Amino acid sequence: MIEYIKNQNSENSIYVLLTDTGTLFTKLIKQFTAAPYNHASLALDAELNELFSFGRKQATNPWSAGFVQEDVYEGTFRHFPGTRCQLLRLHVSKRQRTNAVRIIQSFQNDQQAYRYNLIGLLGVLVNLDIEQKNAYFCSQFVAEALRSTGLSLWDRPSSLVTPEDIRRHPAFETLYEGYLFDYPLLDGERLSRERNGAELWRRQAV
């Protein structure tokens, strides 16, 4: 499995990580969607070192959200060790991948200008298209980034694309599904160190 995933990590790939942290917020969304995963992130590598989305800027504050480069080891995920995930791979041309990198860089350069599209998220739950300037929720960001590379995978606005739509699209190949921290390409030593740090953080917070 490890060698297979490594062999897929080529310059002709883009990845989408779907996750379920089990937080109160995701449980609430799941009441509407009944989908296994309700958060989507765009990754440029199979090791998940370059992982981007719209979500929490602080692990303990779900209301402080926007464009983020997610860190599997030190970010929000480490506070939710039971996170389950599905890693998807999308075959792209070299030009499309280059475009994707440029799009991510443009978000990074102006990240303070972007905010979380909470109203849009509520809209997609009732199939209502609500777009706001410089505002995205996670799957809207993924769909729009892919669309901007020249990949039009859905015949509806990005603001109506859900993580489940991404999961079910035939263009994506599943590379891994299971617990995030069991994903074989993560750095085991670093993961163990951060797990211990997260456990200490939880004890101090009690």
Side-chain angles (χ1 to χ4, degrees):
M1 171 63 76
I2 295 178
E3 289 303 318
Y4 172 74
I5 298 176
K6 283 183 177 179
N7 290 338
Q8 306 310 305
N9 187 16
S10 70
E11 59 185 7
N12 294 327
S13 299
I14 294 176
Y15 306 86
V16 175
L17 180 69
L18 304 177
T19 52
D20 176 21
T21 57
T23 63
L24 181 61
F25 186 62
T26 57
K27 288 179 180 178
L28 179 62
I29 295 176
K30 190 175 287 189
Q31 293 296 316
F32 290 90
T33 66
Y37 306 103
N38 289 288
H39 182 65
S41 309
L42 191 66
L44 297 177
D45 66 311
E47 290 80 11
L48 306 181
N49 292 316
E50 296 181 280
L51 186 66
F52 306 90
S53 188
F54 272 70
R56 299 186 186 200
K57 293 184 177 181
Q58 301 174 21
T60 57
N61 185 0
W63 305 112
S64 176
F67 176 75
V68 290
Q69 179 168 359
E70 297 177 316
D71 189 324
V72 173
Y73 304 98
E74 299 181 6
T76 298
F77 289 124
R78 77 167 181 154
H79 298 292
F80 303 100
T83 296
R84 296 191 62 86
C85 73
Q86 184 172 354
L87 180 62
L88 307 174
R89 176 182 185 250
L90 179 65
H91 293 270
V92 296
S93 67
K94 291 182 180 180
R95 175 175 293 182
Q96 288 168 333
R97 180 177 167 82
T98 298
N99 288 342
V101 172
R102 289 175 178 169
I103 290 165
I104 292 296
Q105 289 174 341
S106 71
F107 273 91
Q108 288 180 303
N109 292 338
D110 295 317
Q111 59 181 313
Q112 297 305 319
Y114 294 100
R115 53 197 173 86
Y116 192 82
N117 187 10
L118 181 59
I119 295 177
L121 176 61
L122 298 176
V124 74
L125 295 177
V126 294
N127 200 35
L128 180 63
D129 178 16
I130 302 177
E131 295 187 17
Q132 293 185 297
K133 183 179 180 180
N134 291 341
Y136 300 84
F137 53 85
C138 62
S139 55
Q140 178 187 10
F141 160 71
V142 171
E144 188 60 28
L146 293 177
R147 190 189 306 274
S148 297
T149 68
L151 292 162
S152 296
L153 302 178
W154 296 275
D155 59 355
R156 55 186 178 279
S158 298
S159 56
L160 289 179
V161 175
T162 68
E164 183 67 3
D165 292 326
I166 298 172
R167 189 177 79 91
R168 290 180 174 273
H169 199 288
F172 292 94
E173 171 193 7
T174 297
L175 293 183
Y176 171 80
E177 186 168 16
Y179 288 106
L180 176 60
F181 287 170
D182 288 340
Y183 177 52
L185 292 195
L186 294 184
D187 184 330
E189 181 177 342
R190 186 181 177 192
L191 191 60
S192 177
R193 184 169 63 250
E194 296 302 335
R195 273 176 168 172
N196 292 336
E199 180 62 28
L200 178 61
W201 178 86
R202 283 194 295 271
R203 289 177 180 176
Q204 292 174 340
V206 174

